[in-house]
Amino acid sequence: MRGARSLATCWPVAETLWWEAAMEEPGLSGCPLSAKTASFQDAVRTLNTLQTNANYLEMVKRKRGDPQTQLEAMKLYLARSGLQVEDLDQLNIIHITGTKGKGSTCAFTERILRSYGLKTGFFSSPHLVQVRERIRINGQPISSELFTKHFWRLYHRLEETKDDSSCVSMPGYFRFLTLMAFHVFLQEKVDLAVLEVGIGGAYDCTNIIRKPVVCGITSLGIDHTGLLGDTMEKIAWQKGGIFKSGVPAFTVLQPDEPLAVLRDRAQQISCPLYLCPPLQALEEGGPPLTLGLEGEHQWSNAALALQVARCWLQQKGYQDAGELKASRPSLPGQLPLAPVFQPTPRMQQGLRHTEWPGRTQLLRRGPLTWYLDGAHPPSSMQACVRWFRQALHRCERPDSGSEVRVLLFNSTGDRDSAALLKLLQPCQFDYAIFCPNLAEMASTDNADQQNFTVTLDQVLLRCLAHQQHWSRLHEEQVSPDPWSTPGQEQDGPASLLLAPHPPHTHSASSLVFSCISHALQWITQGRDPLFQPPSPPRGLLAHPVADSGAMVLQEAAAIHVLVTGSLHLVGGVLKLLEPSLSQ
């Protein structure tokens, strides 16, 4: 293999090796800058030195440490930062994990409680455009000034207490940000903190907390198998690791086997675990609930958020927490059902006003409609496909001219990209575009975009593999559309096929670009009124498919672009389409 060139791709992924962080290479920061003179970008560049370079990361993958010791290491970092685990009890924490929808559930929960006039903290990952998005106060990313101040205060404190003889003198990227979130929330005196688990639960560095007020587990699925295990039961065991004795916990309907694992985990430590009734049960007898996030899969997330928020309010002595309806008895041997209650007007307001960029998000720009969803596990991709096709059904058809569908895709880590692409096939895309999670080829001016955990060779080879999977799927002519209703004619009125449809094959209509900017330049053909980059680089359209496709896109009456497979990819697209997010 050629030399491992460090790549400034979008968003650090070092946290995927969260329980191996004790072996991370020390940061190459040199002499730290003065907190008084350093800029926000200086802080982020220094933060990026806590990433692990690609070669070292490969060695770490082959030689894993004991995950339990990593929690102990995190407690030591916390102590070196000037806090004890007991100090975190003041944060009145809501702890959320799961495979699908944990970020959306956190967003719903935070917005509901903010509707009660509470000052909220919210820690999440990954970020889409700027790293400060991960630490929010009252729903807004902390300011660049606040980030810079707290970053240098924590960084210097850890620098002063590090042991140069140790191989882990500074915490890794995700651990550092977790520590920083704790400090920010305590210093800003939030009334509560919503913590989204990074990966798993049992050994995630957020799990050093002793006494959350309430915990929640969203829908489970297969993801991060190299870290969490290759079965739903193993993954459920990891997720159930956030349960604490005597702390109420809630989950949504799960397959029987992983649900049994969660139940056993809860019983072993005397954690009261409840199963959330569906959202429709809470709507009965009251006004229909409106969600700020699109997609049927968000109903489950909203149902969990309502139960978690109500439990928090009750635990803290609030009276206006929703009037109980007639309770539904639990079946013998099953989890007890969470209460069915009437959501209060403030809860309804919170659900309605929830925003969570990059998840079932629509942007309409001239003839282009962007459908942004960072789905990456297979079950999330199924939900994404349902949402995309339903959204297409609802949109107005142009009076004349063609409509074109474009897929912009990437996936990272140990995910099965072939399986994800197979789920996307029924969408009948005209063009499939693959590119790395790299906003622009030269991103050194924006430290938020730097990532040293992968190489340019690796990510480009991965994109070429995606293209090959896509071509093979077409050639295999796999089974009929699993999303269509049996007996429906493919060209019938309920079909989601676009017409007129250019006569070409998927294998002949896929392209790989070296960065997101080049991909967007080709897709938009200058027709997005807000995305107006410099003229495309020489040779960008020097491919027959790119050349002929450009003509199709220039003449289309409507262009529908689904961006999916990776939240990092979605973030890179948002960075270019919405420049204000970078300010």
Side-chain angles (χ1 to χ4, degrees), residues 99-101 104 128 222-223 297-298 357-361 371-388 407-412 415-417 420-421 423-424 437 562-571:
T99 306
K100 302 171 291 178
S104 299
L128 293 177
I222 299 294
D223 197 22
H297 56 289
Q298 296 292 357
R359 289 80 169 176
T360 59
Q361 181 181 5
Y371 303 78
L372 307 169
D373 190 68
H376 40 280
S379 49
S380 292
M381 188 61 74
Q382 288 177 313
C384 171
V385 169
R386 274 194 296 270
W387 163 69
F388 176 64
L407 170 67
L408 180 56
F409 177 90
N410 192 31
S411 73
T412 59
R415 296 182 177 94
D416 185 350
S417 57
L420 297 177
L421 290 169
L423 291 170
L424 287 160
N437 297 336
L562 175 62
V563 184
T564 192
S566 167
L567 271 171
H568 308 312
L569 174 66
V570 168

Side-chain angles (χ1 to χ4, degrees), residues 197-216:
V197 166
I199 295 177
Y203 305 119
D204 186 75
C205 63
T206 63
N207 204 31
I208 61 170
I209 60 174
R210 303 183 317 157
K211 293 181 179 179
V213 175
V214 59
C215 298

Side-chain angles (χ1 to χ4, degrees), residues 137-179:
I137 303 291
N138 286 333
Q140 295 300 312
I142 60 174
S143 66
S144 298
E145 294 76 16
L146 195 62
F147 184 98
T148 304
K149 180 183 81 171
H150 283 286
F151 173 83
W152 289 114
R153 183 180 295 172
L154 175 60
Y155 187 88
H156 289 310
R157 190 172 291 163
L158 291 169
E159 275 279 324
E160 291 164 1
T161 58
K162 73 179 182 180
D163 179 2
D164 291 329
S165 65
S166 169
C167 63
V168 189
S169 55
M170 290 289 282
Y173 185 97
F174 183 72
R175 283 181 171 180
F176 187 98
L177 287 172
T178 305
L179 293 168

Side-chain angles (χ1 to χ4, degrees), residues 17-92:
L17 292 170
W18 42 273
W19 61 32
E20 299 157 2
M23 300 173 61
E24 286 182 346
E25 194 175 39
L28 307 177
S29 56
C31 297
L33 295 165
S34 164
K36 293 183 179 179
T37 60
S39 68
F40 169 69
Q41 291 293 310
D42 291 329
V44 179
R45 289 189 185 96
T46 305
L47 171 66
N48 288 344
T49 67
L50 302 179
Q51 297 178 42
T52 310
N53 72 40
N55 288 336
Y56 199 83
L57 199 57
E58 286 302 312
M59 183 182 76
V60 170
K61 286 180 180 179
R62 294 190 296 268
K63 186 179 178 183
R64 291 181 177 163
D66 176 10
Q68 184 59 43
T69 64
Q70 305 315 307
L71 282 181
E72 299 305 316
M74 184 63 180
K75 293 176 184 177
L76 292 176
Y77 287 128
L78 185 70
R80 283 175 48 196
S81 77
L83 294 176
Q84 297 300 318
V85 174
E86 294 80 3
D87 297 325
L88 306 182
D89 298 345
Q90 304 171 40
L91 292 177
N92 300 315

Side-chain angles (χ1 to χ4, degrees), residues 392-460:
L392 285 176
H393 251 324
R394 293 194 300 267
C395 71
E396 293 184 11
R397 307 259 82 86
D399 295 332
S400 61
S402 65
E403 294 185 63
V404 180
R405 295 185 192 185
V406 181
L407 170 67
L408 180 56
F409 177 90
N410 192 31
S411 73
T412 59
D414 56 5
R415 296 182 177 94
D416 185 350
S417 57
L420 297 177
L421 290 169
K422 185 174 182 179
L423 291 170
L424 287 160
Q425 262 209 317
C427 293
Q428 295 292 310
F429 291 103
D430 297 287
Y431 298 97
I433 309 302
F434 306 100
C435 68
N437 297 336
L438 172 61
E440 298 171 284
M441 284 304 293
S443 61
T444 53
D445 290 339
N446 188 342
D448 288 281
Q449 307 300 310
Q450 291 179 333
N451 179 9
F452 307 110
T453 65
V454 288
T455 67
L456 182 59
D457 299 313
Q458 290 170 338
V459 295
L460 289 177

